[in-house]
Structure formats: structure tokens, C-alpha cells
Amino acid sequence: MGEFWSGLWGFAGSYWWLIFFIGPAAGGVAKAIERSAKRRHERRLEIIRAKAEAKGIVVRPASGDLAARDGGASFPSAADGDDAGASTRTRLERLFSAHDDLTHRWLEYELDVAKLIAFPAMSDGRQPLTAAFLRAKKVADGLRPPSADTRVSATDLAAYRDALTDAEVAFDLAERDARRQRDRSFSEAERRRLDTAKQLLNVAVDDAATPAERRTAYERVRAELDGLIAVSDAAMDRLAERAALQLPPTAPPAAS
């Protein structure tokens, strides 16, 4: 043991100058760990607050700016109005309604090219909060009974309700995060491509543009987004329908 301490002190005496490098490096690592822990703590508090809101009795608005934009549209939680004295059918119908509303809100991001461009994180499964929502929704979808007439136990009903609430909370957090970051994760060159796609999108649905201009803009939208945002065929089909609705009616063929 004496030899060990003697060797240690000898090493320290010979290489005392390393403290000028090790000290700042260790301090930087400590600060990074502290910042990471603080972020995790803040995110956990955010999740706890959101879950408390989602499971509350009062219907809460749909994530602040959305509620204001939509004239105060409400976002029902799966727990809202879940009266334990109601029949199982009634409770399932309420949960189904909340489930369908959640699916509709998610599909609005998946099928609306303008929203995909404005809030790309909502369609990016690599984003942690978006991935968490997709996992939570998959669980809720798997626990959803086939119909309101299905016989379910109190345990299964509670499990479905809780899973749906978790999915609602996860969506709310992912949506808020996507609206917060917008296109910050893209480079300057990629942002220019997104801006070009926005302009093309406006032309594609502009009734002041010629049919040829709209068709060309429609075809170029996906090319600009290729490699930046995954745009589904369904989203492009919906865009095509919007553009087609803006087209002037086809003139009837001339009588021969």
C-alpha cells in the first residue's frame, strides 16, 4: 500500500501541470451533465403538467395558439366527462369520439402539405416527441375495442382510457415542440428549398394562376421537398384535389 501512495504522489509531482488541462475539461463535462439533467427535469415537469391538464375535469384548449387561431376550439381529453356511473357503452362512445378527434388532428399534419412544410417535425419519426406520440397512439389503437357494443371489463376500459390520454398528451407535447422549432433543424440551403416549396404550393392552389402554371407548380413541390420532408402519396393526392377544385370548368365540346 505504501508503494502505491508513494508512486501516486511521485506521478502527481512530475505531472502537476496537467491540472491546468484536466481542471477546465472536468468542469466543462460537469456543466454539460448538469445542463442535460436540468433539461430532462424540465421536460419531465412539462409532461407531468400536461398529463395533469389532460386528465382534468375541465376541457382544456388546444395548445394555446391553436385555440386562439381556431376561435377557442376545444381539445377534449379522453378523461373528460368519463363518468364512472355512465354505462360502458356511453363511456366507450366518449372515448371513441376523443380517439377519432386525435386521429383527425394527426392526419391534418400528415395530409396537408402546407402543414408539413410549416411544421416538419410533426411528420419526422426521428424527433423524440413525435416518436413518443406514434408509440403512444399505437398502444391506444391496439387497446381500442371494435365497437361500443363490445363487452369489456373495467380493467380493460381503464387501460384504454389511460392509453388514449397518454397519446393525447404525447401529441400535445409533440405539436408544441414542432411549432416551437419549425425549420430550425434545417440548414440555410434547406430552408431556401422549403421557402421555394411554399411559393410553389401557393401557385398550385391559386385560382389566379393558369392551369399550366398550377400543374407545373404541383409537380415541382415534391421535387423541392425530396430528401427534406417525407410527403406521402395521400398528401399529394389531397393537394391535387385542392388544385383541381380551383381549376376553371372544362368547356363542353363544340357541336359538330
Side-chain angles (χ1 to χ4, degrees), residues 181-222:
Q181 62 173 295
R182 291 183 176 267
D183 61 359
R184 293 176 190 169
S185 62
F186 293 91
S187 67
E188 190 61 35
E190 290 171 335
R191 289 176 186 172
R192 286 196 293 268
R193 288 178 59 188
L194 289 175
D195 288 338
T196 300
K198 290 178 187 176
Q199 296 170 13
L200 291 169
L201 187 62
N202 290 334
V203 174
V205 297
D206 185 2
D207 57 2
T210 66
E213 289 172 334
R214 275 172 272 173
R215 188 172 299 106
T216 299
Y218 164 79
E219 292 171 352
R220 287 187 55 199
V221 166
R222 176 171 274 180

Side-chain angles (χ1 to χ4, degrees), residues 6 45 157:
S6 176
L45 288 178
L157 181 61

Side-chain angles (χ1 to χ4, degrees), residues 69-133:
R69 187 199 65 190
D70 296 336
S74 63
F75 169 41
S77 164
D80 292 333
D82 188 13
D83 182 4
S87 67
T88 299
R89 178 187 176 86
T90 299
R91 297 174 71 186
L92 280 175
E93 287 174 345
R94 289 171 180 168
L95 292 174
F96 287 171
S97 177
H99 200 152
D100 293 342
D101 179 71
L102 176 64
T103 300
H104 173 75
R105 293 182 66 206
W106 172 60
L107 287 177
E108 279 303 305
Y109 285 97
E110 289 292 302
L111 301 179
D112 189 331
V113 179
K115 279 192 172 184
L116 284 171
I117 295 173
F119 312 109
M122 283 301 291
S123 62
D124 188 353
R126 296 169 299 180
Q127 295 290 331
L129 292 179
T130 301
F133 160 67

